[in-house]
Amino acid sequence: TQLLEQSPQFLSIQEGENLTVYCNSSSVFSSLQWYRQEPGEGPVLLVTVVTGGEVKKLKRLTFQFGDARKDSSLHITAAQPGDTGLYLCAARLNNAGNMLTFGGGTRLMVKP
Amino acid sequence: KAGVTQTPRYLIKTRGQQVTLSCSPISGHRSVSWYQQTPGQGLQFLFEYFSETQRNKGNFPGRFSGRQFSNSRSEMNVSTLELGDSALYLCASMRVAGSYEQYFGPGTRLTVT
């Protein structure tokens, strides 16, 4: 069992649809980051959330951090083909220093 | 500002050989972490270096080692390569002071035959 559970693992949608990706754990995070990765490249940082209940918006992307700092979600509105990629959540757990623990990832495909 | 750079980008080695990968962090970033990414295990933490000292280590065998130089550049070494070491090796740098954010390089794709 992974420390960080991401769901769904795969998502294939049409352009213009909305979607939500979830990242859950039984452990408390000191901070959580969302990354997007394209094939053959390193993950690109999208956002960092630190405070329980925090909501951050980045254009069509909305990120939420759970009140208890054990879960997070990424919502994309009106998805576009350019949103296609692997979305990863990564958490800094309490007492784990700067080590990031990653979820298994959500592979998103947006069809035109 | 230049991003994290990793060299080489691609590498093919034979079982039993050793390999050294290099990472140059973003200017001003003092922490460098290394991760291994495979289709089966996803992204897993190898180790973190700060001020030339290893601060944290993941659950990998002693064949995996690293070091950091005074200019914050880092190298990781894998000795006695195994087929299972084939992976994308990612380096991430962090400013440390007042920041939780790690920025990744493009990775080195290692193939062991």
Side-chain angles (χ1 to χ4, degrees), chain A residues 33 35 37 92 96 98 100, chain B residues 37 48 55 94 100 102:
Chain A
Q33 296 167 357
Y35 292 87
Q37 185 179 24
R92 286 174 75 241
N98 294 319
L100 287 178
Chain B
Q37 186 175 28
E48 180 201 5
R55 286 216 293 198
M94 191 169 82
Y100 302 102
Q102 294 188 27

Side-chain angles (χ1 to χ4, degrees), chain B residues 11-19 36-41 60-61 63-64 78-89 109-113:
Chain B
L11 206 48
I12 300 175
K13 290 286 189 179
T14 304
R15 262 183 310 175
Q17 288 186 315
Q18 74 163 16
V19 66
Q36 181 196 65
Q37 186 175 28
T38 59
Q41 299 297 319
F60 279 82
R63 299 185 297 106
F64 291 82
V78 188
S79 63
T80 319
L81 284 165
E82 300 177 0
L83 294 178
D85 296 334
S86 295
L88 182 66
Y89 289 89
R109 170 72 62 186
L110 172 65
T111 302
V112 182
T113 61

Side-chain angles (χ1 to χ4, degrees), chain B residues 34-74:
Chain B
W34 288 90
Y35 294 82
Q36 181 196 65
Q37 186 175 28
T38 59
Q41 299 297 319
L43 266 145
Q44 293 186 292
F45 173 80
L46 281 157
F47 27 65
E48 180 201 5
Y49 285 87
F50 174 74
S51 292
E52 303 176 63
T53 301
Q54 187 180 90
R55 286 216 293 198
N56 210 345
K57 190 178 192 314
N59 190 24
F60 279 82
R63 299 185 297 106
F64 291 82
S65 63
R67 58 177 176 168
Q68 187 181 35
F69 302 95
S70 58
N71 62 358
S72 295
R73 192 177 69 84
S74 177

